[in-house]
Amino acid sequence: MKKTMEVNEIVALKEQLARVKTENELLKSQLIQHENILEGALDGVAILDEHMKFIDVNSAACRMFQLTKVELCKRSLFDFLSLIPKYKINKFFDELSMNETKEKELAIKLENGEIKFLEISLRKQAINGYDLAMLKDISFKKKLERERTINEWLFKDLFYRAADGIVLFDEHGAFIEANESFCSIFEINQTELNSYVLEDFISKQNNDKIKKLWNVLKENGSATREFPVVLNNGVKKIFEFTTTSNIVDGLHMAIVRDITEKRSMELKLYKSEERFREVFENAIDAIMIWKNNGQIIKANHAASRTFELSEEELMTRNVLDFIDQTSPSFAKVKREYMETGAIREELLFHMPNGQNKELEFTSKMNILEKHHLTIFRNVSERKHMVKVLQESEQKFRKIFDGAMDGIVLFNNSYEMIDANPSARKILNLLSDDLKSFKLFELLFSGMRQDEIDPNDWEEKLQEISYTFENGEEKTLEFTLKNNINENMNLAVLRDVTEKRELEEQLRKSDTLNVVGELAAGIAHEIRNPMTALKGFIQLLEGSIKDDYSLYFNVITSELNRIESIITEFLILARPQAIQYLKKDIGTIMKETIDLLNGQAILVNVQMELYLEQELPLIYCEPNQLKQVFINILKNAIEVMPKGGQIDVKIKRKDEKHLIVSIIDRGLGIPEDKIKRLGQPFYTTKERGTGLGLMVSYKIIEEHKGIVEVESEVGSGTAFHITLPINH
């Protein structure tokens, strides 16, 4: 029985041993499997004791700490945590509870000094009383996060501090955010930013450019374009947009730079280059640019013409090819040029066709890239012109000296520069008298120099009477030509004394003829009837009673008055000596009106005189002016047979002239007849001769005045006589 029990126990033990062995094999297989899994894991796995000493680690953990398994198992986790303050480490492990998993990021420092960031997941007493730590190397992640943080910080710093405008906008162009520079450039407030889109500032003419910008952004992710922008105040500018798509959250970013001034400067530079090119190519003077060795590198068309070679051929030549280098003048010019770097000289140049030309040139050293610029001008023709000019001067001198008229050259101060023999004879001048002769007093007697405008006198024939120092009086005609040369004017003089005397004699002769005719008419038409009247009055006076003697006295008195008026007229008409004097024109007019007042009263005409206050004296011949006024006033009286008023007005026209207006209220003169007034034997009166107005016009012309007539048929006629104050 006992033996049977032992056999059973042995069998049971064997079965139990077999089961244990099977379980051990299974556990061993599982252990190998777990070890393979741990060894193959990417994350580190470590078993730690209560003092954080490594008990076991996998290969990933060894790689993290860059130690072998044997070396790492001799170390503690605390050995690698020198970068973390001790109180933070103690706090982390003190807060760790039983069977609790806690995660933390730690910075470890390896033995070689390398620093790594680990994410540790620690579970207290997870395996047989030991702690289990899962380790993950997050150094690369931390680096990326750090770089991203730096980039974000740099972006924000750049965004808000950048001098260029930066704006974020969506796919529709609506502004989302912008820096201060952008708002300042576009003159908008930050609060208004979201109410604008990019197209608000770009004209419709550039819509195609906007569409292309969006297309390029979609294809390439970035684009750079220039757009003309119109700001809110209407100012137009040019901006450069450097745009990047999907910079953040699908938004686009544009860096905006104001390039208005840059483009303006580029345009100016381009225009300047164009102008230089135009000047260079189209200059009349020959221009060359050449190297230090004399090799020609650029020449204009004028240079080609001057040196009689094509531009292409000139590029193959040397400047020195055209100069006689053995010439002493060349050696002097070269020495001076090398010393000063610039020169202006003349040299003889030999042309390829054998012709020699004397060229004046200006050369400048180191104008660009150590090149030389030389401008040539052919002075051969100029020297020829100088010779021709000298010959012309000689011809002019012969004409000048041989001219029949007097020719005087004078400067702007009216100082005589030269006078030909005829002028010296007319002006009674000797050679030494030129500078001392007062030419201004001759030409503009009685006027101040500041009153003269030379343009008013240029090329107008003027006539003057001048008394020379020897007492001789001459009448001279002169014309002026201003600015024939710098500070040089010309006066042409002619002695017309004898001519004017003959004309005066002729005029007096004509006047005497007219007066003779008038006297004959008066004698025949008036005095004969008057003689008969006087005789019959005397007969009647003796035969009629004394009661009518008063009537006879009145009739006799009036007949005598008529005779005195005729006598006064005849005295006025006789030839008299002409003498210009300073006279009061108002007094002359009063005397004339008094003379004609009797005739005016007979036809019921009143003459009213209006004088401006403080009228100046005028330089005139009073009897001649009186004759003019008589002729015009007499005509005015005769055209008003039914009576009326004649207005006579005298006033200043300007600082240099007076104007006398005689206005009647007669029948008026048709416009086509006004133009013929003053012509010999032309008259609007039935019994007139036309000689009165002819003589009047001539007298006013001699006084340097003008007569203007205004008339309206049925309303009357106005004669306006303008007279100079200083004749």
Side-chain angles (χ1 to χ4, degrees):
M1 185 74 179
K2 186 176 180 182
K3 185 176 180 180
T4 302
M5 288 178 63
E6 288 179 354
V7 170
N8 290 335
E9 288 177 358
I10 290 170
V11 171
L13 287 172
K14 285 182 178 180
E15 290 176 354
Q16 186 178 2
L17 181 62
R19 286 195 304 273
V20 170
K21 187 176 180 181
T22 302
E23 289 177 358
N24 284 340
E25 289 293 332
L26 181 61
L27 288 173
K28 186 176 180 181
S29 174
Q30 290 177 347
L31 180 61
I32 291 172
Q33 186 178 2
H34 289 161
E35 286 180 353
N36 289 334
I37 292 171
L38 288 176
E39 287 298 321
L42 296 175
D43 294 335
V45 180
I47 299 174
L48 307 170
D49 64 12
E50 59 183 354
H51 301 295
M52 291 294 116
K53 183 178 179 183
F54 290 102
I55 301 301
D56 195 7
V57 293
N58 67 350
S59 299
C62 293
R63 288 194 299 272
M64 285 181 190
F65 289 92
Q66 297 182 13
L67 292 172
T68 63
K69 187 173 183 178
V70 176
E71 291 173 335
L72 189 56
C73 288
K74 295 179 182 179
R75 309 292 293 274
S76 168
L77 181 61
F78 292 130
D79 295 340
F80 302 95
L81 301 178
S82 60
L83 297 176
I84 302 174
K86 195 170 183 180
Y87 75 91
K88 287 188 176 183
I89 297 173
N90 293 334
K91 182 180 179 183
F92 172 72
F93 288 105
D94 291 343
E95 292 176 352
L96 197 62
S97 302
M98 188 71 67
N99 295 323
E100 181 186 2
T101 301
K102 195 168 185 180
E103 296 179 355
K104 189 171 182 63
E105 292 181 2
L106 299 174
I108 64 172
K109 185 177 182 181
L110 305 182
E111 288 187 349
N112 62 3
E114 184 181 352
I115 297 172
K116 286 188 176 183
F117 290 90
L118 302 180
E119 184 179 75
I120 183 170
S121 179
L122 187 64
R123 185 177 179 83
K124 191 75 171 177
Q125 297 182 0
I127 301 174
N128 299 326
Y130 293 110
D131 299 337
L132 176 65
M134 302 298 292
L135 304 172
K136 188 175 183 180
D137 190 347
I138 59 172
S139 298
F140 183 72
K141 177 184 175 183
K142 280 292 185 181
K143 182 179 179 182
L144 291 178
E145 288 178 354
R146 182 170 177 272
E147 288 180 354
R148 181 179 179 182
T149 302
I150 292 173
N151 287 338
E152 288 179 356
W153 179 81
L154 288 175
F155 174 77
K156 288 181 180 180
D157 188 64
L158 174 65
F159 186 83
Y160 291 108
R161 294 177 180 271
D164 293 332
I166 303 176
V167 62
L168 299 177
F169 55 93
D170 61 19
E171 67 275 10
H172 303 295
F175 295 157
I176 305 301
E177 188 174 359
N179 64 355
E180 290 184 5
S181 296
F182 179 86
C183 294
S184 175
I185 290 171
F186 279 76
E187 299 181 355
I188 56 178
N189 296 324
Q190 284 279 2
T191 56
E192 303 172 341
L193 185 67
N194 296 335
S195 63
Y196 289 101
V197 295
L198 184 61
E199 284 82 352
D200 290 341
F201 298 93
I202 299 174
S203 64
K204 294 180 179 180
Q205 299 173 351
N206 294 283
N207 283 343
D208 292 341
K209 289 186 177 181
I210 292 290
K211 291 178 181 178
K212 289 180 181 178
L213 174 66
W214 289 116
N215 293 334
V216 173
L217 280 176
K218 289 178 182 178
E219 293 177 5
N220 303 331
S222 64
T224 300
R225 291 289 186 277
E226 292 180 10
F227 291 105
V229 170
V230 181
L231 303 181
N232 288 335
N233 61 3
V235 175
K236 295 181 180 179
K237 291 189 174 183
I238 300 174
F239 289 101
E240 181 184 70
F241 289 78
T242 302
T243 310
T244 305
S245 63
N246 299 322
I247 189 70
V248 58
D249 297 331
L251 297 178
H252 307 292
M253 182 184 75
I255 300 175
V256 182
R257 181 171 299 165
D258 186 352
I259 59 171
T260 308
E261 186 174 353
K262 177 184 176 183
R263 290 294 175 262
S264 176
M265 292 300 294
E266 288 175 351
L267 181 61
K268 288 180 181 178
L269 181 61
Y270 173 77
K271 289 182 177 179
S272 177
E273 291 175 350
E274 283 294 308
R275 282 195 294 268
F276 171 77
R277 190 177 297 107
E278 286 293 323
V279 170
F280 184 84
E281 294 296 337
N282 299 305
I284 297 175
D285 294 332
I287 304 175
M288 282 186 185
I289 299 175
W290 46 281
K291 297 180 180 179
N292 283 332
N293 61 1
Q295 180 65 44
I296 300 170
I297 59 175
K298 195 167 182 60
N300 67 349
H301 300 310
S304 177
R305 291 193 302 269
T306 300
F307 288 87
E308 300 180 12
L309 288 173
S310 67
E311 293 178 43
E312 293 75 14
E313 289 176 309
L314 274 176
M315 304 298 181
T316 65
R317 305 296 288 269
N318 193 296
V319 174
L320 301 177
D321 294 345
F322 305 98
I323 306 174
D324 183 3
Q325 300 183 44
T326 61
S327 169
S329 56
F330 170 75
K332 177 186 174 184
V333 168
K334 182 179 179 181
R335 183 172 61 254
E336 183 179 347
Y337 182 57
M338 298 306 294
E339 291 174 357
T340 62
I343 196 170
R344 182 182 183 127
E345 267 294 348
E346 291 182 8
L347 282 176
L348 189 65
F349 286 75
H350 307 296
M351 300 298 111
N353 63 358
Q355 182 184 4
N356 292 331
K357 293 183 181 179
E358 194 156 0
L359 302 182
E360 179 186 59
F361 61 92
T362 301
S363 192
K364 178 72 176 176
M365 190 183 296
N366 297 330
I367 58 155
L368 181 65
E369 299 177 356
K370 295 185 179 181
H371 293 157
H372 305 253
L373 174 70
T374 304
I375 302 174
F376 299 91
R377 179 174 295 173
N378 189 353
V379 294
S380 303
E381 187 175 353
R382 187 191 71 185
K383 292 196 171 182
H384 173 70
M385 290 299 295
V386 169
K387 182 180 178 182
V388 171
L389 186 62
Q390 289 174 346
E391 293 175 354
S392 177
E393 171 69 20
Q394 292 174 359
K395 292 177 183 177
F396 167 77
R397 178 54 61 180
K398 290 179 180 179
I399 296 171
F400 182 78
D401 291 339
M404 301 294 291
D405 291 334
I407 303 175
V408 176
L409 300 176
F410 61 96
N411 60 21
N412 294 338
S413 301
Y414 295 93
E415 296 173 345
M416 292 179 66
I417 299 171
D418 199 358
N420 70 344
S422 296
R424 295 172 190 269
K425 182 179 179 181
I426 292 171
L427 302 177
N428 300 330
L429 290 177
L430 299 175
S431 298
D432 298 337
D433 296 336
L434 283 180
K435 292 185 179 179
S436 61
F437 188 82
K438 298 177 181 178
L439 184 64
F440 181 82
E441 292 185 3
L442 169 69
L443 301 178
F444 308 107
S445 177
M447 301 182 71
R448 297 197 312 271
Q449 190 164 337
D450 57 0
E451 296 177 340
I452 301 300
D453 183 359
N455 294 324
D456 293 341
W457 298 78
E458 186 172 12
E459 296 185 355
K460 292 182 180 178
L461 185 63
Q462 307 292 328
E463 187 174 300
I464 54 173
S465 295
Y466 187 76
T467 303
F468 294 90
E469 292 183 357
N470 60 1
E472 182 182 4
E473 185 175 342
K474 291 183 180 180
T475 302
L476 305 178
E477 277 185 351
F478 73 91
T479 56
L480 301 180
K481 179 66 178 176
N482 299 317
N483 300 319
I484 62 168
N485 206 339
E486 185 177 358
N487 195 24
M488 183 180 290
N489 311 285
L490 178 141
V492 179
L493 305 171
R494 181 177 296 165
D495 187 351
V496 294
T497 307
E498 293 182 5
K499 179 181 177 182
R500 291 294 173 261
E501 289 175 353
L502 291 173
E503 288 177 351
E504 179 63 20
Q505 291 175 8
L506 182 60
R507 189 183 67 81
K508 288 179 179 179
S509 176
D510 291 340
T511 304
L512 287 173
N513 290 334
V514 174
V515 171
E517 290 178 6
L518 290 174
I522 290 168
H524 181 70
E525 299 293 337
I526 299 177
R527 283 187 171 172
N528 287 342
M530 282 180 59
T531 303
L533 288 172
K534 282 185 178 182
F536 283 113
I537 290 297
Q538 290 175 359
L539 291 173
L540 287 173
E541 188 177 7
S543 62
I544 294 177
K545 296 179 181 180
D546 292 340
D547 293 340
Y548 298 97
S549 61
L550 177 61
Y551 299 147
F552 290 117
N553 289 336
V554 171
I555 292 171
T556 303
S557 175
E558 290 303 315
L559 289 172
N560 291 334
R561 178 174 173 80
I562 292 171
E563 189 172 7
S564 68
I565 291 172
I566 294 170
T567 303
E568 181 72 18
F569 173 74
L570 291 175
I571 292 172
L572 181 64
R574 291 193 188 103
Q576 300 175 35
I578 297 176
Q579 185 177 7
Y580 286 91
L581 302 170
K582 288 280 187 177
K583 288 291 182 178
D584 183 359
I585 193 170
T587 302
I588 296 172
M589 182 59 76
K590 286 177 183 177
E591 292 175 354
T592 306
I593 291 174
D594 290 342
L595 179 63
L596 298 174
N597 205 33
Q599 180 181 349
I601 291 171
L602 290 176
V603 291
N604 196 27
V605 172
Q606 295 81 40
M607 292 184 285
E608 296 291 337
L609 177 61
Y610 302 94
L611 296 176
E612 190 178 84
Q613 296 293 325
E614 299 181 358
L615 287 173
L617 301 178
I618 69 167
Y619 193 57
C620 67
E621 210 297 327
N623 287 330
Q624 286 191 343
L625 284 188
K626 187 179 291 186
Q627 183 178 346
V628 172
F629 298 154
I630 287 173
N631 288 339
I632 297 175
L633 284 171
K634 190 171 181 295
N635 287 342
I637 293 169
E638 291 175 353
V639 297
M640 297 171 61
K642 295 181 180 181
Q645 182 173 312
I646 298 174
D647 294 330
V648 180
K649 300 178 182 179
I650 305 177
K651 62 180 181 179
R652 275 183 178 267
K653 183 176 183 180
D654 52 43
E655 293 183 358
K656 299 179 181 180
H657 299 85
L658 294 179
I659 185 167
V660 179
S661 298
I662 300 174
I663 306 166
D664 66 51
R665 291 166 176 76
L667 299 177
I669 306 171
E671 186 176 354
D672 59 328
K673 294 184 178 181
I674 292 177
K675 299 177 181 179
R676 299 183 61 188
L677 292 178
Q679 295 180 5
F681 305 107
Y682 179 77
T683 179
T684 59
K685 296 182 293 184
E686 292 181 2
R687 299 180 62 188
T689 63
L691 297 175
L693 277 183
M694 183 197 75
V695 173
S696 299
Y697 273 60
K698 182 64 176 175
I699 290 171
I700 296 303
E701 182 182 342
E702 290 175 349
H703 279 73
K704 307 302 180 186
I706 57 173
V707 179
E708 296 173 301
V709 182
E710 292 180 347
S711 185
E712 184 177 346
V713 176
S715 298
T717 303
F719 277 79
H720 301 291
I721 304 169
T722 302
L723 293 168
I725 296 172
N726 295 305
H727 178 47

